[in-house]
């Protein structure tokens, strides 16, 4: 393990070591001090919003889907659901389904409920739902179900290598 991740563990950093290393590699070491750890899991967007004291839509969910069997990350606000048909159309594939837990861990290196928007084990295509940009600040998982970090959504999407799209489920 590299020095940044080891230092993060030694200093009691709340972030997952892989995520701490990703922050270091991206030149975002200062973000480490802004990571918040909660005693209870913030596995769902609603749990995270309640713990932070923010609007549900200010939570950035990092969701892994399988697009014709290939993993793809979708960044979506916590108050919305992903429309898999819109993702399918956006990617030009035949079938999009939710990835199974083992695929999420294999692809990202993190468990469901703690997947951050970047710092993954493998490089995947990233789609970011455009309404995330409606906020000045969003909160995302920092590699564990107990940790979150704040970031301007434009920066978050840029660091994730995301493409802005409209893939949220429409309410009738």
């Amino acid at each position: 393990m590299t020095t940044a991740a080891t230092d993060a563990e030694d200093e009691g950093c709340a972030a997952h070591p892989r995520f701490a290393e990703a922050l270091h590699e991206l030149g975002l070491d200062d973000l480490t001090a802004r990571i918040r750890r909660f005693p209870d899991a913030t596995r769902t967007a609603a749990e995270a919003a309640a713990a932070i004291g923010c609007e549900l839509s200010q939570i950035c969910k990092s969701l892994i889907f399988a697009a014709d069997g290939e993993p793809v990350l979708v960044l979506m606000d916590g108050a919305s659901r992903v429309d898999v048909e819109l993702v399918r159309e956006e990617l030009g594939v035949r079938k999009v389904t939710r990835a199974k837990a083992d695929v999420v861990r294999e692809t990202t290196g993190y468990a469901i409920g703690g997947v951050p928007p970047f710092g993954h084990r493998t490089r995947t295509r990233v789609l970011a739902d455009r309404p995330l940009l409606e906020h000045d600040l969003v909160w995302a998982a920092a590699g564990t179900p107990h940790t979150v970090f704040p970031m301007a959504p434009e920066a978050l999407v840029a660091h994730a290598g995301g493409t802005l799209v409209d893939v949220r489920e429409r309410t009738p």
Side-chain angles (χ1 to χ4, degrees), residues 19-124:
F19 188 65
E21 181 61 25
L23 292 177
H24 177 70
E25 289 173 3
L26 292 167
L28 298 172
D29 293 301
D30 61 318
L31 191 58
T32 303
R34 299 181 66 203
I35 292 172
R36 292 177 61 186
R37 179 173 180 76
F38 297 99
D40 297 320
T42 53
R43 217 175 273 279
T44 68
E47 289 171 344
I52 295 163
C54 70
E55 295 295 321
L56 185 56
S57 63
Q58 287 180 275
I59 300 299
C60 177
K61 299 185 289 191
S62 298
L63 306 168
I64 300 289
F65 290 86
D68 285 349
E70 292 296 316
V72 62
L73 172 67
V74 178
L75 302 176
M76 176 65 63
D77 80 72
S80 300
R81 294 175 49 95
V82 175
D83 184 326
V84 293
E85 180 60 21
L86 292 175
V87 172
R88 188 194 68 72
E89 290 172 10
E90 184 67 41
L91 297 173
V93 296
R94 290 187 318 262
K95 185 177 181 182
V96 174
T97 59
R98 281 278 218 166
K100 295 186 183 318
D102 61 329
V103 172
V104 172
R105 187 177 287 279
E106 180 182 310
T107 301
T108 67
Y110 306 98
I112 291 173
V115 177
F118 48 83
H120 298 175
R121 177 181 290 153
T122 62
R123 197 155 184 76
T124 58

Side-chain angles (χ1 to χ4, degrees), residues 139-158:
W139 293 83
T144 77
H146 296 273
T147 57
V148 294
F149 71 97
M151 184 175 264
E154 295 85 358
L156 185 141
V157 171

